Amino acid sequence: EILKLGDFNTLVGNLNPNYFGMVDQLVCARADKFAGAFWSTFTGHIHRLRGYHAKGEASFYHTRGKLKELHKAQRNGPGWMREWRAGWTDDDRGAQI
């Protein structure tokens, strides 16, 4: 099932629209699966939050050719737009930190 911010209108009530982006990130962070854009810092923050909640392996990019880019064990490199698995996993053993 795909949900959008409008599906939560009864929960957010009269929330200032300036906070909609933050609410959207929190909802996406706790979803069973998430797909975002490769060059997006918005997506990067969601992926970081998902990693902290042990949901990082169910995250994907919908950008052509980048679907499973988030699953690489890479620890560094150019990538201001993405988060590295090493931030929440021990890639040497594959364990959650």
Side-chain angles (χ1 to χ4, degrees):
E1 179 179 9
I2 297 175
L3 300 174
K4 296 179 259 177
L5 186 59
D7 297 323
F8 297 91
N9 281 342
T10 58
L11 296 174
V12 297
N14 293 325
L15 183 68
N16 183 325
N18 291 324
Y19 298 133
F20 286 177
M22 290 177 260
V23 171
D24 217 13
Q25 285 182 320
L26 293 173
V27 169
C28 291
R30 297 310 293 254
D32 290 333
K33 293 183 182 176
F34 171 73
F38 183 75
W39 297 105
S40 168
T41 54
F42 186 81
T43 291
H45 184 65
I46 293 168
H47 184 58
R48 180 189 305 182
L49 293 173
R50 291 179 62 74
Y52 294 159
H53 292 286
K55 293 178 174 277
E57 300 308 308
S59 297
F60 306 89
Y61 287 128
H62 61 71
T63 307
R64 187 180 310 247
K66 306 283 187 195
L67 181 67
K68 295 196 174 194
E69 188 78 13
L70 293 169
H71 301 176
K72 291 183 178 178
Q74 185 173 354
R75 294 176 184 261
N76 59 21
W80 52 266
M81 69 292 185
R82 64 166 292 180
E83 299 297 325
W84 306 103
R85 289 179 71 244
W88 56 85
T89 62
D90 176 0
D91 282 332
D92 295 331
R93 293 177 296 166
Q96 187 81 12
I97 292 178

